[in-house]
Structures are given as structure tokens and as C-alpha cells.
Amino acid sequence: GGVSTMRGYRRHTLGPVDSDLQPVGGEARLLLSGEVRQPIAGPLGVALFADSGQVWATRHDIDLADLALALGTGLLVGTPVGPIRLDLTCNVTEPQGNAARWLLSLAVGHPF
């Protein structure tokens, strides 16, 4: 998870967790993202996006039914170093571990 991968999850929180719900990482990852951006006026723009992904402990554990899905919208402000983004994301699938259903994030640059 994170602002440049699966925006419905904070960094390193998608995938396998231990008994204390702490992320343990994995060796297999699948990410799918789509985004539509629309200028509004001057440096301002909006975006609609969908992110889907998952991390598995091993490549033998890969199951596409495990993919998480998040939908969101963002406000973009163009700057010389790239857009400053304020994204609001909703996890459509049941959030894993202690992840929230809704996530608000601030980032610089495009996610991909």
C-alpha cells in the first residue's frame, strides 16, 4: 500500500500480517491502477481513480480472489516539481488487518 501503489492502504500494510496485525511482507505482488485526470482552472485539477492489488507471502499463494479494491477522488494542484495531491480513498473490499475503510492522503507527484 501507499500513495504511489494501493492508495486505499498506508505504506506496507497490504498483505500478510503476523498475530499482532503487523505487516510481514511477501515475495509476490500484483497492482492494477487506473486514473482519469481533468483540469479545472489554472493549476487546479481533479482525478478519479481505482486501485486494486495484493501482496502474498510466496508466489504459490497467489489467488486473484484476494485482490483488494479501492476507489477514490483527488484534488491536484500543479507545481514545478509535480502535482500536490490530496486523495480521498474508500476501500470497497473489506479492509485487511487494522486498515481503515476511508483514507485521506497528501502526496507530491503522480502515482504512476
Side-chain angles (χ1 to χ4, degrees), residues 15-24 97-98:
V17 294
D18 63 17
S19 60
D20 295 324
L21 299 179
Q22 296 301 308
V24 295
N98 58 2

PDB file of all heavy atoms in Angstrom, residues 15-24 97-98:
ATOM      1  N   GLY A  15      -1.304  -6.991   2.599  1.00  0.00           N
ATOM      2  CA  GLY A  15      -0.666  -8.301   2.510  1.00  0.00           C
ATOM      3  C   GLY A  15      -0.593  -9.010   3.841  1.00  0.00           C
ATOM      4  O   GLY A  15      -1.308  -8.664   4.786  1.00  0.00           O
ATOM      5  N   PRO A  16       0.281 -10.015   3.935  1.00  0.00           N
ATOM      6  CA  PRO A  16       0.344 -10.851   5.135  1.00  0.00           C
ATOM      7  C   PRO A  16       0.712 -10.054   6.386  1.00  0.00           C
ATOM      8  O   PRO A  16       1.530  -9.130   6.333  1.00  0.00           O
ATOM      9  CB  PRO A  16       1.448 -11.866   4.825  1.00  0.00           C
ATOM     10  CG  PRO A  16       1.694 -11.779   3.367  1.00  0.00           C
ATOM     11  CD  PRO A  16       1.240 -10.435   2.925  1.00  0.00           C
ATOM     12  N   VAL A  17       0.082 -10.422   7.500  1.00  0.00           N
ATOM     13  CA  VAL A  17       0.383  -9.806   8.797  1.00  0.00           C
ATOM     14  C   VAL A  17       0.633 -10.908   9.818  1.00  0.00           C
ATOM     15  O   VAL A  17       0.208 -12.047   9.640  1.00  0.00           O
ATOM     16  CB  VAL A  17      -0.769  -8.887   9.280  1.00  0.00           C
ATOM     17  CG1 VAL A  17      -0.933  -7.688   8.363  1.00  0.00           C
ATOM     18  CG2 VAL A  17      -2.070  -9.652   9.388  1.00  0.00           C
ATOM     19  N   ASP A  18       1.313 -10.558  10.919  1.00  0.00           N
ATOM     20  CA  ASP A  18       1.549 -11.525  11.991  1.00  0.00           C
ATOM     21  C   ASP A  18       0.381 -11.501  12.973  1.00  0.00           C
ATOM     22  O   ASP A  18      -0.631 -10.831  12.744  1.00  0.00           O
ATOM     23  CB  ASP A  18       2.899 -11.271  12.671  1.00  0.00           C
ATOM     24  CG  ASP A  18       2.978  -9.922  13.369  1.00  0.00           C
ATOM     25  OD1 ASP A  18       1.931  -9.291  13.623  1.00  0.00           O
ATOM     26  OD2 ASP A  18       4.112  -9.486  13.665  1.00  0.00           O
ATOM     27  N   SER A  19       0.508 -12.192  14.084  1.00  0.00           N
ATOM     28  CA  SER A  19      -0.584 -12.293  15.066  1.00  0.00           C
ATOM     29  C   SER A  19      -0.918 -10.953  15.715  1.00  0.00           C
ATOM     30  O   SER A  19      -2.010 -10.784  16.249  1.00  0.00           O
ATOM     31  CB  SER A  19      -0.238 -13.329  16.131  1.00  0.00           C
ATOM     32  OG  SER A  19       0.948 -12.941  16.800  1.00  0.00           O
ATOM     33  N   ASP A  20       0.011  -9.993  15.664  1.00  0.00           N
ATOM     34  CA  ASP A  20      -0.231  -8.648  16.197  1.00  0.00           C
ATOM     35  C   ASP A  20      -0.686  -7.674  15.113  1.00  0.00           C
ATOM     36  O   ASP A  20      -0.677  -6.462  15.319  1.00  0.00           O
ATOM     37  CB  ASP A  20       1.033  -8.098  16.867  1.00  0.00           C
ATOM     38  CG  ASP A  20       1.442  -8.893  18.084  1.00  0.00           C
ATOM     39  OD1 ASP A  20       0.530  -9.359  18.814  1.00  0.00           O
ATOM     40  OD2 ASP A  20       2.656  -9.067  18.300  1.00  0.00           O
ATOM     41  N   LEU A  21      -1.062  -8.215  13.940  1.00  0.00           N
ATOM     42  CA  LEU A  21      -1.502  -7.433  12.773  1.00  0.00           C
ATOM     43  C   LEU A  21      -0.414  -6.520  12.221  1.00  0.00           C
ATOM     44  O   LEU A  21      -0.694  -5.514  11.586  1.00  0.00           O
ATOM     45  CB  LEU A  21      -2.769  -6.622  13.096  1.00  0.00           C
ATOM     46  CG  LEU A  21      -3.996  -7.437  13.494  1.00  0.00           C
ATOM     47  CD1 LEU A  21      -5.164  -6.516  13.801  1.00  0.00           C
ATOM     48  CD2 LEU A  21      -4.374  -8.433  12.416  1.00  0.00           C
ATOM     49  N   GLN A  22       0.845  -6.894  12.440  1.00  0.00           N
ATOM     50  CA  GLN A  22       1.970  -6.148  11.879  1.00  0.00           C
ATOM     51  C   GLN A  22       2.348  -6.763  10.538  1.00  0.00           C
ATOM     52  O   GLN A  22       2.410  -7.985  10.404  1.00  0.00           O
ATOM     53  CB  GLN A  22       3.179  -6.190  12.827  1.00  0.00           C
ATOM     54  CG  GLN A  22       2.917  -5.503  14.152  1.00  0.00           C
ATOM     55  CD  GLN A  22       2.551  -4.047  13.959  1.00  0.00           C
ATOM     56  OE1 GLN A  22       3.255  -3.299  13.286  1.00  0.00           O
ATOM     57  NE2 GLN A  22       1.427  -3.635  14.537  1.00  0.00           N
ATOM     58  N   PRO A  23       2.613  -5.924   9.501  1.00  0.00           N
ATOM     59  CA  PRO A  23       2.941  -6.466   8.180  1.00  0.00           C
ATOM     60  C   PRO A  23       4.243  -7.257   8.188  1.00  0.00           C
ATOM     61  O   PRO A  23       5.194  -6.887   8.869  1.00  0.00           O
ATOM     62  CB  PRO A  23       3.072  -5.219   7.299  1.00  0.00           C
ATOM     63  CG  PRO A  23       3.254  -4.082   8.239  1.00  0.00           C
ATOM     64  CD  PRO A  23       2.639  -4.471   9.549  1.00  0.00           C
ATOM     65  N   VAL A  24       4.248  -8.359   7.441  1.00  0.00           N
ATOM     66  CA  VAL A  24       5.445  -9.193   7.352  1.00  0.00           C
ATOM     67  C   VAL A  24       6.024  -9.228   5.940  1.00  0.00           C
ATOM     68  O   VAL A  24       7.070  -9.819   5.714  1.00  0.00           O
ATOM     69  CB  VAL A  24       5.174 -10.636   7.858  1.00  0.00           C
ATOM     70  CG1 VAL A  24       4.842 -10.618   9.332  1.00  0.00           C
ATOM     71  CG2 VAL A  24       4.076 -11.299   7.054  1.00  0.00           C
ATOM     72  N   GLY A  97      -6.556  -6.397   8.111  1.00  0.00           N
ATOM     73  CA  GLY A  97      -5.896  -6.039   9.361  1.00  0.00           C
ATOM     74  C   GLY A  97      -6.563  -4.857  10.031  1.00  0.00           C
ATOM     75  O   GLY A  97      -7.765  -4.824  10.227  1.00  0.00           O
ATOM     76  N   ASN A  98      -5.758  -3.839  10.371  1.00  0.00           N
ATOM     77  CA  ASN A  98      -6.290  -2.660  11.040  1.00  0.00           C
ATOM     78  C   ASN A  98      -6.447  -1.485  10.070  1.00  0.00           C
ATOM     79  O   ASN A  98      -6.494  -0.329  10.500  1.00  0.00           O
ATOM     80  CB  ASN A  98      -5.412  -2.276  12.233  1.00  0.00           C
ATOM     81  CG  ASN A  98      -3.971  -2.017  11.824  1.00  0.00           C
ATOM     82  OD1 ASN A  98      -3.624  -2.081  10.655  1.00  0.00           O
ATOM     83  ND2 ASN A  98      -3.129  -1.722  12.795  1.00  0.00           N
TER      84      ASN A  98
END
